[in-house]
Amino acid sequence: MWRRVAGAIDKPEPAVQAEVTADQDPSAPEVRVRAFRIGFVGALGVLVALFVGGIVGQLSTVILYIALALFLSLGLDPIVSWLQRRGMPRWVAILIVFAVVIGLFVGLVATIVPLVVTQITELVTNWDQIVDDVKQSDLVAWIGSITGSSTWIEDGIASIGDWFGNPDNIGALTGGLLAVGAGIAGGFTGATIVLILTLYFLASLDSMKRYAARFVPASSRNGFVDVSQEVTGSVGRYVIGQVGLASINGVLSLVFLTIIGAPAPIFLAFIAFLCSLVPLVGTLTGAVIVTLVSLTASPATGLAAAIYYLVYMQLEAYVLSPRIMSRAVAVPGALVVIAAVAGGTLGGVLGALVAIPVAASLIIIVEKVIFPRQDAA
């Protein structure tokens, strides 16, 4: 532990100095523990971490918009690439695809918004009559025949009708007219931001991949490019496949709900489409909502809707989904549920939509990067 230089005993080296104590040698220098400096630096680190966490929390909506736009661009990129292979310049293909997307978005808004406004107007105008019709409906009579009395059901419906008929209660439930208007304006603004970011990401997707590859060492760059291409391609196919499944569910729901006479079939079909964008749990959620709304028309209508969705979910699980999603990465059902719940908790419906492609990307990275390294070790 001690160095001898020209026969003399030198002072201990700095690395060894911490091991020398007064018990070993009274002449050894005192070891100073700079507790204040360590504590101060640690406290600064905690404060910086809290500051960064606060910034991320404040920017969570923006981060969610960016993630959603990125996945939309990955989903549209295979279509753009297909048009490029047909001899079309990329910028022309991007304009065509984006024009179709905007056209579909505007068409949905132009179809759904007037329908919702009309339904809300009729609901407010005829609220008392609606409550009376529900009290005298076949569903209430059917439940009353099972339980032996329908008086308690009618009283409950009357109480609920009186509560919702009070404008003050509706204002407290929705946060007031100003909050509703702010929510609608925020949703429209968010959709516009996502569309603009999607256009930019779609136009610069190749350059973004090349720029990201520059952060990887040259020795591993080729492998990184291969994995990134596979991730983006698989996520794009996954997004397209899920939108395709949701579109099939929406169209078939519209046809069937119109046939059985369900209330507001266009709006219910749109709900079924939106819910089906979330894999595995979305179709079931939409089926429950549509069935409950159909029950308000008649028990037979609700039963018909329930039977239809039971058949459709089997068709989707065993026929449609394997064929449409065959080229995309397979995400285990348990992971889909976990990702959807976690994404919905963090970012609502948009978070649930983004969480599934994120899980698919992580599966590809694990299979292509982590497992080969573990096998080679």
Side-chain angles (χ1 to χ4, degrees), residues 71 74-78 229-244 324-329 364:
F71 285 114
L74 292 177
L76 296 175
D77 186 64
Q229 290 289 352
E230 186 168 353
V231 168
T232 54
S234 182
V235 170
R237 292 189 294 268
Y238 194 93
V239 173
I240 290 178
Q242 199 60 45
V243 172
I324 294 177
M325 308 294 288
S326 59
R327 297 187 60 193
V329 61
I364 294 177

Side-chain angles (χ1 to χ4, degrees), residues 17-18 30 34 65 68 94 126 164 205 219 225 315 354 358:
Q17 185 174 351
E30 181 183 358
R34 302 184 182 277
Y65 288 161
L68 182 59
I94 292 174
N126 304 319
F164 279 102
L205 197 58
S219 59
V225 171
L315 179 67
V354 172
V358 169

Side-chain angles (χ1 to χ4, degrees), residues 300-362:
T301 304
L303 181 61
I307 294 174
Y308 162 75
Y309 279 108
L310 285 176
V311 174
Y312 173 77
M313 284 189 289
Q314 304 305 313
L315 179 67
E316 180 183 273
Y318 294 104
V319 178
L320 297 177
S321 184
R323 292 179 179 272
I324 294 177
M325 308 294 288
S326 59
R327 297 187 60 193
V329 61
V331 182
L335 187 58
V336 168
V337 175
I338 294 172
V341 173
T345 302
L346 295 176
V349 177
L350 295 180
L353 297 179
V354 172
I356 310 301
V358 169
S361 303
L362 293 178

Side-chain angles (χ1 to χ4, degrees), residues 34-93:
R34 302 184 182 277
F36 177 77
R37 178 183 297 179
I38 295 174
F40 183 74
V41 173
L44 284 180
V46 172
L47 291 176
V48 170
L50 292 175
F51 179 73
V52 173
I55 292 177
V56 173
Q58 293 293 328
L59 297 178
S60 59
T61 303
V62 178
I63 296 173
L64 189 61
Y65 288 161
I66 295 174
L68 182 59
L70 181 60
F71 285 114
L72 286 177
S73 63
L74 292 177
L76 296 175
D77 186 64
I79 304 176
V80 174
S81 301
W82 182 81
L83 293 176
Q84 280 187 279
R85 290 194 295 269
R86 298 299 183 274
M88 189 177 295
R90 182 172 178 85
W91 68 271
V92 176

Side-chain angles (χ1 to χ4, degrees), residues 7 23 32 34 52 65 123 136 158 162 172 175 183 187-188 232 245 255 272 300 302 338 348:
D23 294 336
R32 295 182 180 179
R34 302 184 182 277
V52 173
Y65 288 161
L123 186 67
Q136 301 173 6
D162 293 339
F188 180 78
T232 54
L245 288 174
V255 174
I338 294 172

Side-chain angles (χ1 to χ4, degrees), residues 13 66-67 193 259 267 360:
E13 296 180 3
I66 295 174
I193 293 173
I259 293 174
F267 184 63

